[in-house]
Amino acid sequence: MASSPIWASRPKTRGLVLDVIRAARSISRVELAAATGLTGATISEVVRELMGDGLVVEAGRGAPTGGKPRTMVQLNPLARYSVGVQLERNTCVVVVVDLAGRQVARTSFQGVAMPPERALPLVAAQVDTLLATAGVERDRVLGVGLVSYGPQDRRAGVLLTPQPTDEWLNYPVTRRLTETLGLPVLLDNDAAAAAVGEYWMGAVDPRSTYGCIYMATGIGGGVVVAGAVYRGSSSNAVEIGHISMDVNGDECPCGNVGCLENYAGPSALVRQALATPGLAQRLGLDPTAADVLTEFARIAAAANAGDTGARGLVERSARYLGHAAVTMACLFDVDAIVLAGPSFAVAGSIYQTMIQQEMDRRMFARRAHPVRIVPSVNGSDAAAIGGAVLVLQSELTLGRPRPDGEARPAPAGAAGLH
Amino acid sequence: MASSPIWASRPKTRGLVLDVIRAARSISRVELAAATGLTGATISEVVRELMGDGLVVEAGRGAPTGGKPRTMVQLNPLARYSVGVQLERNTCVVVVVDLAGRQVARTSFQGVAMPPERALPLVAAQVDTLLATAGVERDRVLGVGLVSYGPQDRRAGVLLTPQPTDEWLNYPVTRRLTETLGLPVLLDNDAAAAAVGEYWMGAVDPRSTYGCIYMATGIGGGVVVAGAVYRGSSSNAVEIGHISMDVNGDECPCGNVGCLENYAGPSALVRQALATPGLAQRLGLDPTAADVLTEFARIAAAANAGDTGARGLVERSARYLGHAAVTMACLFDVDAIVLAGPSFAVAGSIYQTMIQQEMDRRMFARRAHPVRIVPSVNGSDAAAIGGAVLVLQSELTLGRPRPDGEARPAPAGAAGLH
């Protein structure tokens, strides 16, 4: 089992070198030294070790620069894998990605809205089947990134919300899945995972500060600073779906009033559509449907096709999201905001255009720099892919906490594998 | 002039040791090793160097623990000083603090609402006079922390807002003040400075993530993560006065609509009081007064004294601030929020109580941990003191960027001395 560390010494230096190789796709040792600030001798030694571990391979000669041609090195993407599992209220997405973060297998299924004692064995069985089908050897799997909604106790590996059933509140999801699968499991917030996955897969500059608005059934958020997720005190940060749009708004089950989710989220739009005379019938909405995302997709598709009523609802939702995006920018001072998740899949361009307009007009520090609104590279599976990427990042890039008890805390993203 | 680095090697290790000594007030070498995770030999060497530089002195024996009594070391607070300058629209506060952050001199004056060519020489003259009066030798002054409202280009040392007069927009305030004073000057956001000053002076746990709401004429904010200011892309973060309370609210000069400042800030309350029949007369408000803070203080004092009208206005302001504080907690996941600045000076306890109530009821992650609302330790001068503390922190605790070109970026707070 690959849960033992890949290396025992200087994890940060090795992680840094590996991350530069990963991001560059193909790079020479001389360029590595320039990009990392490390000496040529250190680079040579680290690259030798990484090649010995099978993580990096040589890959031909670089373009001639007048002198001796340089041997390029690149990641060996098939050396390691990780698994991402996204648990939504009734839906589960499982992906397997290679060391470069590329998806090699995917499945999704419904029917996890049951107590964890019954749901988690189903999830584990799906992971087992997917790994077997993809032909991925188990000892090359670094671990599983399980992502779900907040609030969570990430270190303890438990959800702090009674969803989808009461039994999930405080249930040891991470420990249970670790035991069943025999693989290390980390728990994280779905939107935070989606956010870090976007940087890893190249949607944004890795040195930037950027946000992500993640919309599935609910609305979540994440902020990434120079590649590391902003964590706050307990990793329950950037809960943008539950910031208030109106001090006099209705109370939300979360305790706050006038929450964004209740104006702009898929459930709100389906409710608004059902309350609009003629619209539900015209779009073929089913008032008894349990699956909000499918009904919402109908509204989004009709908006794209020019249905005035549907378009009005989506634009209203986009204005609220733009409003929340401005708050995110005002508070986190981001360079960009990525729109990710299944609920941006259909009408993403309407959302992107309108949120960008709000941002350009309203953002406090627009004299300092613009804020770009960008579509996700990982789309509907952004959270599950992000879960898998968090495992890669935790194991490879950020390095494990040092064993010598040095006082400086480990990077925020480095903890969590159980 | 003390603008050269105090040490040339291992700044982070020395900074860490110095910060632990500072926070502990008095500590033995053995305790230092335990607190920092460094070896006894390293501690002995670093302490010897710090004593050689005059920054640390020995301070008697510790309490007997059964073995050989331990020699305690402590900061030599008079070894270095720094200056904090807060520029408000028409007011300027100047403080001088020692190495421990304790205030040794203070002055404030009005009449800086004029172009920077004329205002900055006045500020410089006040700094000179204050240092002379306090008997602080110039070569012991590490630098000047100039703090003001945002948006700013902190690295370039310019304000990105035409306040108090048009000429301030893009004027090189830092360079000009550096030339005039012959001391290094850093520019920073007033609320961010106030936030870091609170940690330094012991209002909050230095390992925590906490926010600060800073209310003077305007409303600003700061977030500190493990002692370092959250910066975002351009240090224009946590502009909480300009997050929206109402998507349908009035447009603010900043470009956003329904900004917190326009509901809960001192100018708004004075406007509301003047529009309330009988209230302005009862409180003796002057409709033509230029100084909003004095008029606001009258309303706050009347609220404390039980005037129903005044109390209603302050409570309404507190509810809006509570609402914004919940947004801050939802997004930054903070352990505490400090209320700082002159506009909390009079009715601070009303604000603290009501904001705490909103937080306890509405905060998303309250199952994970509570969020404490706490009064400032630095009070009305929090921003100026914070400016001085940022200089100390930049020079002493976080260490300067390493000269060896190592790839890891310097801590966010370490840049900026010009």
Side-chain angles (χ1 to χ4, degrees), chain A residues 139-300:
Chain A
D139 62 1
R140 296 196 167 198
V141 178
L142 290 167
V144 177
L146 172 68
V147 302
S148 195
Y149 28 68
Q152 307 176 345
D153 184 336
R154 177 167 151 267
R155 288 182 188 274
V158 302
L159 301 180
L160 299 177
T161 173
Q163 296 185 68
T165 70
D166 286 350
E167 294 85 352
W168 287 81
L169 176 62
N170 283 319
Y171 185 87
V173 281
T174 300
R175 202 182 70 212
R176 183 63 199 274
L177 206 55
T178 302
E179 289 165 1
T180 312
L181 279 170
L183 288 169
V185 176
L186 63 74
L187 175 69
D188 216 316
N189 181 279
D190 47 12
V196 88
E198 296 294 329
Y199 132 68
W200 191 279
M201 298 307 287
V204 288
D205 185 330
R207 292 157 305 183
S208 71
T209 298
Y210 69 92
C212 174
I213 299 180
Y214 179 80
M215 186 156 76
T217 312
I219 301 174
V223 166
V224 176
V225 180
V229 174
Y230 174 87
R231 293 288 179 191
S233 168
S234 67
S235 288
N236 288 296
V238 203
E239 284 291 357
I240 199 164
H242 295 281
I243 66 170
S244 177
M245 301 286 101
D246 182 357
V247 281
N248 302 309
D250 290 339
E251 187 149 336
C252 176
C254 85
N256 204 357
V257 292
C259 290
L260 170 67
E261 200 167 288
N262 302 331
Y263 295 90
S267 300
L269 263 76
V270 171
R271 213 167 45 236
Q272 291 158 13
L274 291 172
T276 308
L279 186 62
Q281 207 170 11
R282 195 161 74 240
L283 305 186
L285 300 186
D286 175 5
T288 64
D291 181 16
V292 168
L293 291 187
T294 309
E295 301 302 293
F296 172 71
R298 284 185 211 273
I299 302 172

Side-chain angles (χ1 to χ4, degrees), chain B residues 95-304:
Chain B
V95 298
V96 178
V97 307
D98 67 19
L99 194 54
R102 294 179 313 200
Q103 189 174 304
V104 297
R106 178 202 187 271
T107 187
S108 69
F109 57 102
Q110 302 229 320
V112 285
M114 53 175 69
E117 284 288 353
R118 287 163 50 212
L120 291 176
L122 293 183
V123 171
Q126 293 276 355
V127 171
D128 285 336
T129 307
L130 197 65
L131 287 173
T133 311
V136 170
E137 296 162 34
R138 219 167 175 88
D139 63 0
R140 295 197 168 200
V141 179
L142 289 168
V144 177
L146 172 69
V147 302
S148 194
Y149 29 68
Q152 306 176 346
D153 184 337
R154 176 168 152 266
R155 288 183 187 274
V158 303
L159 301 181
L160 299 177
T161 173
Q163 296 185 70
T165 70
D166 286 349
E167 294 85 352
W168 287 81
L169 176 63
N170 284 320
Y171 185 87
V173 282
T174 299
R175 201 182 70 212
R176 183 62 199 272
L177 206 55
T178 302
E179 288 165 2
T180 312
L181 279 170
L183 289 169
V185 176
L186 63 75
L187 174 70
D188 216 317
N189 181 278
D190 47 12
V196 87
E198 295 295 328
Y199 133 67
W200 191 278
M201 298 307 286
V204 288
D205 184 331
R207 291 157 306 182
S208 70
T209 297
Y210 69 93
C212 174
I213 298 179
Y214 178 81
M215 188 157 75
T217 313
I219 301 175
V223 166
V224 177
V225 180
V229 174
Y230 174 88
R231 293 287 179 192
S233 169
S234 67
S235 286
N236 288 297
V238 204
E239 284 291 357
I240 199 164
H242 295 280
I243 67 170
S244 176
M245 301 285 102
D246 182 357
V247 282
N248 301 309
D250 291 338
E251 188 149 334
C252 175
C254 84
N256 204 356
V257 292
C259 290
L260 170 68
E261 202 167 285
N262 303 330
Y263 295 91
S267 299
L269 263 77
V270 171
R271 211 166 48 235
Q272 291 158 15
L274 291 171
T276 308
L279 186 60
Q281 207 170 14
R282 195 161 75 239
L283 305 187
L285 300 187
D286 175 4
T288 64
D291 181 15
V292 168
L293 291 187
T294 309
E295 301 302 293
F296 172 71
R298 284 185 210 274
I299 302 172
N304 278 347

